[in-house]
Amino acid sequence: MTAPEPGGKPEQSGVDLARVALRAAREQARARGDAARQKKQARRGGGLRSGARADGRDPMALGAAINRLLTERGWEAPAAVGGVMGRWPQIVGEDVAKHCEPERYDEDERVLVVRCDSTAWATNLRLLAPTLVARLNEDLGHGAVRQIKVQGPSGPARRYGPLRAPGSKGPGDTYG
């Protein structure tokens, strides 16, 4: 550099000007190269080149792929409840599991519906429901299950056939 000009800026010598011009030319070449590389990748179908480093296209283990899918789609809670349905005997005990089984889970209301094979077991499970909700929430995370709806056994399907009297309400109309 040489002596400053009257305006206060130092005057640049030929070597300094050459360095500045070289730096600008390198930056422009790098920008052109990046743009050309991006165009080429876009024509090929995008993405980085495959190489020694890991990227999103590498093969992964089945468990990791399923966990990634569950996370991306927001299916963690339903999948966890499905796991609970598979482990029902371990959660409630063998005796209760013989007589009561989970039917479905309503994700919006966070309600687990359980069907029992007798009204006595349905009553017993209704008494155990707060304890089961607490145990399920320990396993699944707080608030995953708010309520357990217990249903008793369903009666046989009503069959309407040719022997039905017109205007009859079924077997209940003779008792009352």
Short mmCIF file of all heavy atoms in Angstrom, two decimals, residues 81-129:
data_model
loop_
_atom_site.label_atom_id
_atom_site.label_comp_id
_atom_site.label_asym_id
_atom_site.label_seq_id
_atom_site.Cartn_x
_atom_site.Cartn_y
_atom_site.Cartn_z
N VAL A 81 -50.50 -47.94 21.95
CA VAL A 81 -51.70 -48.59 22.47
C VAL A 81 -51.86 -49.98 21.83
O VAL A 81 -52.27 -50.93 22.50
CB VAL A 81 -52.95 -47.71 22.23
CG1 VAL A 81 -54.21 -48.45 22.58
CG2 VAL A 81 -52.85 -46.45 23.06
N GLY A 82 -51.52 -50.11 20.58
CA GLY A 82 -51.55 -51.43 19.94
C GLY A 82 -50.60 -52.40 20.62
O GLY A 82 -50.91 -53.58 20.79
N GLY A 83 -49.45 -51.89 21.05
CA GLY A 83 -48.52 -52.72 21.80
C GLY A 83 -49.09 -53.13 23.14
O GLY A 83 -48.87 -54.25 23.62
N VAL A 84 -49.84 -52.23 23.77
CA VAL A 84 -50.49 -52.55 25.04
C VAL A 84 -51.53 -53.64 24.83
O VAL A 84 -51.67 -54.55 25.65
CB VAL A 84 -51.13 -51.29 25.66
CG1 VAL A 84 -52.10 -51.64 26.75
CG2 VAL A 84 -50.04 -50.38 26.18
N MET A 85 -52.25 -53.58 23.74
CA MET A 85 -53.26 -54.60 23.46
C MET A 85 -52.60 -55.97 23.29
O MET A 85 -53.16 -56.98 23.67
CB MET A 85 -54.08 -54.23 22.25
CG MET A 85 -55.00 -53.06 22.50
SD MET A 85 -56.01 -52.71 21.06
CE MET A 85 -57.06 -51.44 21.68
N GLY A 86 -51.40 -55.98 22.74
CA GLY A 86 -50.68 -57.23 22.59
C GLY A 86 -50.14 -57.75 23.92
O GLY A 86 -49.97 -58.95 24.11
N ARG A 87 -49.84 -56.82 24.84
CA ARG A 87 -49.31 -57.21 26.15
C ARG A 87 -50.37 -57.15 27.25
O ARG A 87 -50.05 -57.04 28.42
CB ARG A 87 -48.16 -56.27 26.53
CG ARG A 87 -46.96 -56.41 25.64
CD ARG A 87 -45.83 -55.47 26.03
NE ARG A 87 -46.19 -54.07 25.76
CZ ARG A 87 -46.20 -53.11 26.67
NH1 ARG A 87 -45.86 -53.34 27.90
NH2 ARG A 87 -46.56 -51.88 26.34
N TRP A 88 -51.61 -57.21 26.88
CA TRP A 88 -52.73 -57.10 27.83
C TRP A 88 -52.60 -58.05 29.01
O TRP A 88 -52.78 -57.63 30.16
CB TRP A 88 -54.04 -57.28 27.07
CG TRP A 88 -55.26 -57.09 27.89
CD1 TRP A 88 -56.13 -58.06 28.28
CD2 TRP A 88 -55.79 -55.86 28.41
NE1 TRP A 88 -57.15 -57.52 29.02
CE2 TRP A 88 -56.97 -56.17 29.11
CE3 TRP A 88 -55.37 -54.54 28.37
CZ2 TRP A 88 -57.74 -55.21 29.75
CZ3 TRP A 88 -56.14 -53.58 29.00
CH2 TRP A 88 -57.29 -53.91 29.67
N PRO A 89 -52.29 -59.34 28.80
CA PRO A 89 -52.17 -60.25 29.96
C PRO A 89 -51.09 -59.82 30.96
O PRO A 89 -51.26 -59.98 32.16
CB PRO A 89 -51.84 -61.60 29.34
CG PRO A 89 -52.36 -61.53 27.96
CD PRO A 89 -52.20 -60.10 27.55
N GLN A 90 -49.98 -59.27 30.49
CA GLN A 90 -48.93 -58.83 31.41
C GLN A 90 -49.35 -57.58 32.18
O GLN A 90 -48.93 -57.38 33.31
CB GLN A 90 -47.62 -58.53 30.68
CG GLN A 90 -46.91 -59.74 30.16
CD GLN A 90 -47.38 -60.14 28.77
OE1 GLN A 90 -47.94 -59.33 28.03
NE2 GLN A 90 -47.18 -61.39 28.42
N ILE A 91 -50.18 -56.75 31.58
CA ILE A 91 -50.58 -55.50 32.23
C ILE A 91 -51.65 -55.74 33.28
O ILE A 91 -51.55 -55.22 34.39
CB ILE A 91 -51.06 -54.48 31.16
CG1 ILE A 91 -49.87 -54.08 30.29
CG2 ILE A 91 -51.68 -53.27 31.82
CD1 ILE A 91 -50.23 -53.26 29.11
N VAL A 92 -52.68 -56.51 32.94
CA VAL A 92 -53.81 -56.68 33.87
C VAL A 92 -53.74 -57.97 34.66
O VAL A 92 -54.46 -58.13 35.64
CB VAL A 92 -55.16 -56.61 33.13
CG1 VAL A 92 -55.35 -55.26 32.49
CG2 VAL A 92 -55.30 -57.72 32.12
N GLY A 93 -52.91 -58.90 34.26
CA GLY A 93 -52.83 -60.18 34.94
C GLY A 93 -53.56 -61.25 34.15
O GLY A 93 -54.48 -60.97 33.38
N GLU A 94 -53.16 -62.49 34.35
CA GLU A 94 -53.71 -63.61 33.59
C GLU A 94 -55.20 -63.83 33.85
O GLU A 94 -55.97 -64.11 32.94
CB GLU A 94 -52.92 -64.89 33.89
CG GLU A 94 -51.50 -64.87 33.39
CD GLU A 94 -51.40 -64.82 31.88
OE1 GLU A 94 -52.26 -65.41 31.19
OE2 GLU A 94 -50.46 -64.20 31.38
N ASP A 95 -55.62 -63.72 35.12
CA ASP A 95 -57.03 -63.97 35.45
C ASP A 95 -57.96 -62.99 34.77
O ASP A 95 -58.98 -63.37 34.19
CB ASP A 95 -57.24 -63.91 36.97
CG ASP A 95 -56.57 -65.05 37.70
OD1 ASP A 95 -56.33 -66.10 37.03
OD2 ASP A 95 -56.28 -64.91 38.90
N VAL A 96 -57.62 -61.71 34.84
CA VAL A 96 -58.48 -60.69 34.21
C VAL A 96 -58.42 -60.83 32.70
O VAL A 96 -59.45 -60.69 32.01
CB VAL A 96 -58.04 -59.28 34.66
CG1 VAL A 96 -58.84 -58.21 33.96
CG2 VAL A 96 -58.17 -59.13 36.17
N ALA A 97 -57.26 -61.12 32.15
CA ALA A 97 -57.11 -61.23 30.70
C ALA A 97 -57.91 -62.39 30.12
O ALA A 97 -58.33 -62.33 28.96
CB ALA A 97 -55.63 -61.39 30.33
N LYS A 98 -58.16 -63.44 30.92
CA LYS A 98 -58.97 -64.55 30.44
C LYS A 98 -60.42 -64.13 30.20
O LYS A 98 -61.10 -64.70 29.36
CB LYS A 98 -58.96 -65.70 31.45
CG LYS A 98 -57.67 -66.46 31.53
CD LYS A 98 -57.77 -67.54 32.58
CE LYS A 98 -56.43 -68.17 32.85
NZ LYS A 98 -56.51 -69.13 33.97
N HIS A 99 -60.87 -63.13 30.94
CA HIS A 99 -62.29 -62.75 30.89
C HIS A 99 -62.54 -61.39 30.26
O HIS A 99 -63.68 -61.06 29.96
CB HIS A 99 -62.86 -62.78 32.31
CG HIS A 99 -62.76 -64.11 32.96
ND1 HIS A 99 -63.62 -65.14 32.66
CD2 HIS A 99 -61.89 -64.60 33.87
CE1 HIS A 99 -63.30 -66.20 33.37
NE2 HIS A 99 -62.23 -65.91 34.11
N CYS A 100 -61.50 -60.57 30.09
CA CYS A 100 -61.67 -59.23 29.53
C CYS A 100 -60.59 -58.99 28.49
O CYS A 100 -59.42 -59.28 28.72
CB CYS A 100 -61.53 -58.17 30.63
SG CYS A 100 -62.64 -58.40 32.01
N GLU A 101 -60.99 -58.43 27.36
CA GLU A 101 -60.01 -58.14 26.32
C GLU A 101 -60.29 -56.77 25.71
O GLU A 101 -61.45 -56.38 25.53
CB GLU A 101 -59.99 -59.22 25.24
CG GLU A 101 -61.27 -59.39 24.49
CD GLU A 101 -61.19 -60.50 23.47
OE1 GLU A 101 -60.39 -61.43 23.65
OE2 GLU A 101 -61.92 -60.42 22.48
N PRO A 102 -59.24 -56.02 25.36
CA PRO A 102 -59.43 -54.70 24.75
C PRO A 102 -59.94 -54.85 23.32
O PRO A 102 -59.49 -55.73 22.58
CB PRO A 102 -58.03 -54.09 24.78
CG PRO A 102 -57.11 -55.24 24.85
CD PRO A 102 -57.84 -56.33 25.56
N GLU A 103 -60.90 -54.01 22.97
CA GLU A 103 -61.47 -54.07 21.61
C GLU A 103 -60.92 -52.99 20.70
O GLU A 103 -60.52 -53.25 19.58
CB GLU A 103 -62.99 -53.94 21.67
CG GLU A 103 -63.68 -55.22 22.02
CD GLU A 103 -65.17 -55.15 21.73
OE1 GLU A 103 -65.72 -54.04 21.58
OE2 GLU A 103 -65.77 -56.21 21.66
N ARG A 104 -60.93 -51.74 21.18
CA ARG A 104 -60.48 -50.64 20.32
C ARG A 104 -60.03 -49.47 21.19
O ARG A 104 -60.32 -49.41 22.37
CB ARG A 104 -61.57 -50.22 19.35
CG ARG A 104 -62.80 -49.64 20.00
CD ARG A 104 -63.88 -49.29 18.97
NE ARG A 104 -65.08 -48.87 19.63
CZ ARG A 104 -66.02 -49.66 20.10
NH1 ARG A 104 -65.89 -50.96 19.97
NH2 ARG A 104 -67.08 -49.17 20.69
N TYR A 105 -59.34 -48.55 20.54
CA TYR A 105 -58.84 -47.34 21.19
C TYR A 105 -59.26 -46.15 20.36
O TYR A 105 -59.00 -46.11 19.16
CB TYR A 105 -57.32 -47.40 21.31
CG TYR A 105 -56.70 -46.14 21.84
CD1 TYR A 105 -56.85 -45.77 23.17
CD2 TYR A 105 -55.94 -45.31 21.03
CE1 TYR A 105 -56.27 -44.62 23.67
CE2 TYR A 105 -55.35 -44.16 21.51
CZ TYR A 105 -55.53 -43.81 22.83
OH TYR A 105 -54.95 -42.67 23.31
N ASP A 106 -59.95 -45.20 20.98
CA ASP A 106 -60.35 -43.97 20.29
C ASP A 106 -59.28 -42.92 20.57
O ASP A 106 -59.16 -42.44 21.70
CB ASP A 106 -61.72 -43.51 20.79
CG ASP A 106 -62.25 -42.31 20.04
OD1 ASP A 106 -61.57 -41.84 19.10
OD2 ASP A 106 -63.35 -41.85 20.38
N GLU A 107 -58.50 -42.59 19.54
CA GLU A 107 -57.38 -41.68 19.71
C GLU A 107 -57.82 -40.26 20.05
O GLU A 107 -57.17 -39.57 20.82
CB GLU A 107 -56.53 -41.68 18.44
CG GLU A 107 -55.28 -40.88 18.55
CD GLU A 107 -54.46 -40.91 17.28
OE1 GLU A 107 -54.82 -41.61 16.34
OE2 GLU A 107 -53.46 -40.21 17.25
N ASP A 108 -58.94 -39.80 19.46
CA ASP A 108 -59.39 -38.43 19.70
C ASP A 108 -59.84 -38.23 21.15
O ASP A 108 -59.50 -37.23 21.78
CB ASP A 108 -60.54 -38.08 18.75
CG ASP A 108 -60.10 -38.11 17.30
OD1 ASP A 108 -58.90 -37.85 17.05
OD2 ASP A 108 -60.92 -38.40 16.43
N GLU A 109 -60.60 -39.19 21.67
CA GLU A 109 -61.09 -39.07 23.03
C GLU A 109 -60.18 -39.74 24.05
O GLU A 109 -60.40 -39.61 25.25
CB GLU A 109 -62.50 -39.68 23.13
CG GLU A 109 -63.52 -38.94 22.32
CD GLU A 109 -64.91 -39.54 22.44
OE1 GLU A 109 -65.13 -40.33 23.38
OE2 GLU A 109 -65.76 -39.22 21.61
N ARG A 110 -59.19 -40.51 23.58
CA ARG A 110 -58.26 -41.25 24.41
C ARG A 110 -59.00 -42.22 25.35
O ARG A 110 -58.77 -42.24 26.55
CB ARG A 110 -57.38 -40.31 25.21
CG ARG A 110 -56.52 -39.43 24.35
CD ARG A 110 -55.64 -38.58 25.15
NE ARG A 110 -55.00 -37.58 24.30
CZ ARG A 110 -54.45 -36.49 24.76
NH1 ARG A 110 -54.43 -36.26 26.03
NH2 ARG A 110 -53.89 -35.64 23.94
N VAL A 111 -59.88 -43.00 24.75
CA VAL A 111 -60.69 -43.96 25.49
C VAL A 111 -60.37 -45.36 24.98
O VAL A 111 -60.38 -45.61 23.78
CB VAL A 111 -62.20 -43.65 25.31
CG1 VAL A 111 -63.05 -44.72 25.96
CG2 VAL A 111 -62.53 -42.29 25.89
N LEU A 112 -60.10 -46.27 25.91
CA LEU A 112 -59.88 -47.67 25.60
C LEU A 112 -61.15 -48.44 25.92
O LEU A 112 -61.67 -48.34 27.03
CB LEU A 112 -58.71 -48.22 26.43
CG LEU A 112 -58.34 -49.68 26.21
CD1 LEU A 112 -57.82 -49.88 24.79
CD2 LEU A 112 -57.31 -50.12 27.23
N VAL A 113 -61.68 -49.16 24.94
CA VAL A 113 -62.92 -49.93 25.12
C VAL A 113 -62.52 -51.39 25.36
O VAL A 113 -61.78 -51.98 24.58
CB VAL A 113 -63.84 -49.81 23.88
CG1 VAL A 113 -65.09 -50.64 24.07
CG2 VAL A 113 -64.19 -48.36 23.63
N VAL A 114 -63.06 -51.95 26.47
CA VAL A 114 -62.74 -53.31 26.86
C VAL A 114 -64.04 -54.10 26.97
O VAL A 114 -65.03 -53.61 27.53
CB VAL A 114 -62.00 -53.34 28.22
CG1 VAL A 114 -61.69 -54.75 28.64
CG2 VAL A 114 -60.73 -52.52 28.14
N ARG A 115 -64.07 -55.30 26.40
CA ARG A 115 -65.26 -56.17 26.48
C ARG A 115 -64.96 -57.33 27.42
O ARG A 115 -63.92 -57.97 27.34
CB ARG A 115 -65.63 -56.70 25.11
CG ARG A 115 -66.81 -57.66 25.22
CD ARG A 115 -67.76 -57.73 24.10
NE ARG A 115 -68.05 -56.58 23.31
CZ ARG A 115 -69.15 -55.83 23.45
NH1 ARG A 115 -70.01 -56.09 24.39
NH2 ARG A 115 -69.37 -54.85 22.64
N CYS A 116 -65.92 -57.60 28.32
CA CYS A 116 -65.80 -58.70 29.27
C CYS A 116 -66.79 -59.79 28.91
O CYS A 116 -67.84 -59.52 28.31
CB CYS A 116 -66.07 -58.20 30.69
SG CYS A 116 -64.88 -56.97 31.23
N ASP A 117 -66.49 -61.02 29.32
CA ASP A 117 -67.35 -62.14 28.94
C ASP A 117 -68.51 -62.36 29.91
O ASP A 117 -69.37 -63.19 29.65
CB ASP A 117 -66.53 -63.42 28.76
CG ASP A 117 -65.83 -63.86 30.03
OD1 ASP A 117 -65.96 -63.18 31.06
OD2 ASP A 117 -65.13 -64.89 29.98
N SER A 118 -68.56 -61.63 31.02
CA SER A 118 -69.70 -61.73 31.93
C SER A 118 -69.92 -60.38 32.60
O SER A 118 -69.00 -59.55 32.67
CB SER A 118 -69.47 -62.82 32.99
OG SER A 118 -68.46 -62.40 33.89
N THR A 119 -71.12 -60.19 33.11
CA THR A 119 -71.41 -58.92 33.78
C THR A 119 -70.63 -58.81 35.09
O THR A 119 -70.28 -57.71 35.51
CB THR A 119 -72.92 -58.80 34.05
OG1 THR A 119 -73.35 -59.93 34.80
CG2 THR A 119 -73.69 -58.69 32.76
N ALA A 120 -70.35 -59.93 35.75
CA ALA A 120 -69.57 -59.89 36.98
C ALA A 120 -68.15 -59.38 36.70
O ALA A 120 -67.63 -58.53 37.44
CB ALA A 120 -69.51 -61.27 37.61
N TRP A 121 -67.52 -59.87 35.64
CA TRP A 121 -66.19 -59.39 35.30
C TRP A 121 -66.24 -57.94 34.83
O TRP A 121 -65.29 -57.18 35.05
CB TRP A 121 -65.55 -60.28 34.25
CG TRP A 121 -64.90 -61.48 34.86
CD1 TRP A 121 -65.39 -62.75 34.88
CD2 TRP A 121 -63.68 -61.50 35.58
NE1 TRP A 121 -64.54 -63.57 35.55
CE2 TRP A 121 -63.47 -62.83 36.01
CE3 TRP A 121 -62.74 -60.55 35.92
CZ2 TRP A 121 -62.36 -63.22 36.74
CZ3 TRP A 121 -61.63 -60.93 36.65
CH2 TRP A 121 -61.45 -62.25 37.05
N ALA A 122 -67.31 -57.54 34.15
CA ALA A 122 -67.44 -56.14 33.72
C ALA A 122 -67.50 -55.22 34.95
O ALA A 122 -66.85 -54.18 34.98
CB ALA A 122 -68.68 -55.97 32.85
N THR A 123 -68.27 -55.62 35.97
CA THR A 123 -68.35 -54.83 37.19
C THR A 123 -66.99 -54.78 37.89
O THR A 123 -66.55 -53.72 38.35
CB THR A 123 -69.40 -55.43 38.14
OG1 THR A 123 -70.65 -55.47 37.45
CG2 THR A 123 -69.54 -54.61 39.40
N ASN A 124 -66.32 -55.90 37.96
CA ASN A 124 -64.99 -55.97 38.57
C ASN A 124 -64.00 -55.05 37.84
O ASN A 124 -63.23 -54.33 38.47
CB ASN A 124 -64.50 -57.42 38.56
CG ASN A 124 -63.25 -57.61 39.36
OD1 ASN A 124 -62.91 -56.79 40.20
ND2 ASN A 124 -62.55 -58.70 39.11
N LEU A 125 -64.04 -55.06 36.50
CA LEU A 125 -63.12 -54.22 35.74
C LEU A 125 -63.47 -52.75 35.88
O LEU A 125 -62.57 -51.90 35.88
CB LEU A 125 -63.11 -54.64 34.26
CG LEU A 125 -61.93 -54.11 33.47
CD1 LEU A 125 -60.63 -54.72 33.98
CD2 LEU A 125 -62.08 -54.41 32.01
N ARG A 126 -64.73 -52.42 36.02
CA ARG A 126 -65.12 -51.02 36.24
C ARG A 126 -64.53 -50.52 37.56
O ARG A 126 -64.15 -49.35 37.67
CB ARG A 126 -66.63 -50.88 36.24
CG ARG A 126 -67.23 -50.91 34.86
CD ARG A 126 -68.73 -50.60 34.87
NE ARG A 126 -69.29 -50.90 33.57
CZ ARG A 126 -70.00 -51.99 33.29
NH1 ARG A 126 -70.27 -52.88 34.23
NH2 ARG A 126 -70.45 -52.19 32.07
N LEU A 127 -64.47 -51.38 38.56
CA LEU A 127 -63.87 -51.00 39.83
C LEU A 127 -62.35 -50.85 39.72
O LEU A 127 -61.75 -50.03 40.41
CB LEU A 127 -64.22 -52.03 40.92
CG LEU A 127 -65.70 -52.13 41.29
CD1 LEU A 127 -65.93 -53.29 42.24
CD2 LEU A 127 -66.18 -50.83 41.91
N LEU A 128 -61.74 -51.64 38.85
CA LEU A 128 -60.29 -51.58 38.64
C LEU A 128 -59.86 -50.51 37.63
O LEU A 128 -58.66 -50.27 37.46
CB LEU A 128 -59.77 -52.93 38.16
CG LEU A 128 -59.79 -54.08 39.14
CD1 LEU A 128 -59.40 -55.37 38.44
CD2 LEU A 128 -58.87 -53.81 40.30
N ALA A 129 -60.80 -49.88 36.95
CA ALA A 129 -60.49 -48.96 35.85
C ALA A 129 -59.54 -47.83 36.24
O ALA A 129 -58.58 -47.57 35.51
CB ALA A 129 -61.78 -48.41 35.23
#
